[in-house]
Each structure stands twice: as C-alpha cells, then as structure tokens.
Amino acid sequence: MSTIKAIAHQNELTKDIKNDYYLRPAILGTLYDEDIILRLKSREIATENVNGPAFVRLFNRECALAVSEGYNVVTGFVRAGIGFTGTVRAEDLGHHVPADQVKTHITMTQGEYAREAIRKVVINVAEQPAPTGPVIQRITNPVTGQADMLNTGAMVLIQGMRLAVKGDRKNEIGVYFIAADETLTVRIPAEQLSPNTPTRLQFALPGEVTPGEWRVKVATQSTPNTSTFTKEIREYEYPNIVTVV
C-alpha cells in the first residue's frame, strides 16, 4: 500500500463555504526510463541479461508507433488510442489530411495495474503552509489550451490564486523557469507580465527557455486585498513538470 502526501489549499471559489479545501499532490520528482530500471533492480528483479533502458525505450516507442498506425494499445499501466478534434470540408473526403488540421492526439486512460495501485493509495493531507502566498493551479498555452506543454517563444498563461507579481525587490520577484537538470534559471520580471493579476499571469516565453523540461515557480511580495507588500518574498512552485517544444 502506498501513501502519497497532498497539500490542502483553501478553496476561495466557494464563497458560501468557509472550510473546504482542494488537494494538490506533493510530487516527489520525475522518473525517467533509467530510474524505473533502478527501481526494478532494487527489487532484485533480474536485469543482468537484458539492456533494461534500451528495452524500455524500445517498448515505449513501439507502443507510440502502434497507436499512430491506428491500433489501441492496452498495457497494465495505460490504455491508449488515437483521437481527432476538429472538422474537415467536403472536398477533403477521400484525400489525405494533415494531422494538425484536425488536432490529432492520443487519449490515455488507466490500465489494470494503475487502477489497482490507485485503489490502495492512502492520502496524507497537510495544509498549505503559506495560505496567503501565491498558488499556481494551471499553466497553459493560451492559444491551444494545452496544459503543461508550451511552445518556444509563444505566449504562456498561468492561472491560480494570489499570483500578482508585485513588490519592492524588483530583481527577485517574477516568474521563474528552472531547467529540470538545474543547469539554467530564467526569470520573467513583473514588467513583462500582462495581465499581472491575482488569478492570471501572461507573458511571452523568453528565448532562453529552450525545448526540454522545466520547473516553474512564482515569487512575489503582494498580499491579498491590500496595497502593502510582505517583507519576505513568498514563492510557490508548480507541482508538474512543464515541457517546452
């Protein structure tokens, strides 16, 4: 049985209810193919005669290729199939249509092993330690609406609570993009955010944020319902990894 930690944030959208909270999982990190192989080795599962990382990569790529050919793929962890969003014109019938015209995507649902693992999870709830600080609820490309997937140089929309980036420590407050390998940190200052409100931050992704995986955090001194600033900067790091393509 697994125990996962969750952070409880007070729900400010239900004004008539004063004691309800929504939960965000306390993400421990991101695991890649090699990390899963190490977990298997720690369980003394024989991998000496198998190139574990190569096999996992080959398996994942073959699943993706099979779905792109029109198969439904069912594994213990995930069930996947191809889907389309959008329309075509009468003159397109009987002809090849590019994938981006109908927004081709892969739909994934839980497999048997995933459902079994989730059924046994116990949730340990802790209250958000800084309830007056910023909270990021969603990061999207505002053009496509896709969450946690951004395009280089394109617009970014951050939604949440108490997000307004304000304060007198101008060189420290802002939106931070931190490379997953921690080799680079890029700060977007307050003057580049528009809108810059408690619920929405929008800006153009700087060129330094190159394709790859990034962590995102907001740092501000703003306080709710007041024009004063906090002495210390309050930060919130988004629990999901954001991918830039």
Side-chain angles (χ1 to χ4, degrees):
M1 179 181 296
S2 300
T3 299
I4 185 169
K5 293 184 178 180
I7 305 299
H9 301 275
Q10 191 164 21
N11 188 355
E12 298 188 353
L13 300 179
T14 53
K15 297 181 180 179
D16 297 332
I17 303 174
K18 303 300 183 182
N19 61 346
D20 64 328
Y21 296 76
Y22 67 90
L23 301 183
R24 287 285 186 183
I27 303 300
L28 300 179
T30 302
L31 300 182
Y32 298 90
D33 294 346
E34 292 78 4
D35 302 307
I36 298 298
I37 297 301
L38 288 175
R39 286 170 62 96
L40 291 175
K41 287 183 177 181
S42 70
R43 298 175 188 268
E44 299 183 355
I45 296 177
T47 56
E48 288 81 1
N49 299 322
V50 178
N51 184 333
F55 177 79
V56 171
R57 285 193 290 270
L58 183 63
F59 178 83
N60 288 335
R61 286 173 180 165
E62 196 62 28
C63 287
L65 181 60
V67 170
S68 73
E69 292 173 353
Y71 291 97
N72 288 329
V73 172
V74 178
T75 70
F77 179 65
V78 69
R79 299 175 179 225
I82 201 163
F84 307 113
T85 302
T87 60
V88 296
R89 299 177 182 272
E91 57 266 28
D92 294 323
L93 301 180
H95 299 282
H96 294 298
V97 176
D100 57 358
Q101 182 174 331
V102 289
K103 297 181 181 178
T104 305
H105 61 274
I106 293 177
T107 300
M108 292 179 284
T109 58
Q110 301 172 33
E112 177 185 358
Y113 299 158
R115 289 196 303 271
E116 180 65 23
I118 293 301
R119 277 198 297 267
K120 297 180 179 180
V121 164
V122 175
I123 302 173
N124 182 357
V125 180
E127 186 176 0
Q128 165 69 9
T132 58
V135 176
I136 301 173
Q137 295 175 321
R138 184 175 170 85
I139 298 178
T140 61
N141 178 329
V143 177
T144 65
Q146 189 169 12
D148 304 337
M149 182 75 70
L150 307 175
N151 297 97
T152 53
M155 296 302 294
V156 180
L157 175 63
I158 297 179
Q159 296 170 283
M161 299 185 299
R162 300 179 291 273
L163 291 175
V165 176
K166 299 178 181 179
D168 50 19
R169 293 164 65 173
K170 302 292 187 181
N171 295 328
E172 299 175 72
I173 60 173
V175 176
Y176 285 81
F177 275 72
I178 304 138
D181 59 7
E182 298 186 350
T183 57
L184 179 64
T185 297
V186 179
R187 183 177 69 91
I188 298 91
E191 55 267 25
Q192 294 181 18
L193 307 175
S194 180
N196 179 6
T197 70
T199 59
R200 293 165 63 92
L201 303 175
Q202 188 164 309
F203 53 91
L205 196 63
E208 300 95 317
V209 182
T210 54
E213 294 187 324
W214 296 79
R215 294 169 18 233
V216 181
K217 72 177 181 180
V218 170
T220 181
Q221 292 173 271
S222 65
T223 57
N225 305 319
T226 177
S227 59
T228 60
F229 301 145
T230 59
K231 181 178 180 180
E232 299 298 328
I233 292 176
R234 290 175 173 173
E235 299 180 347
Y236 180 88
E237 183 170 315
Y238 188 51
N240 299 348
I241 292 293
V242 171
T243 301
V244 176
V245 296

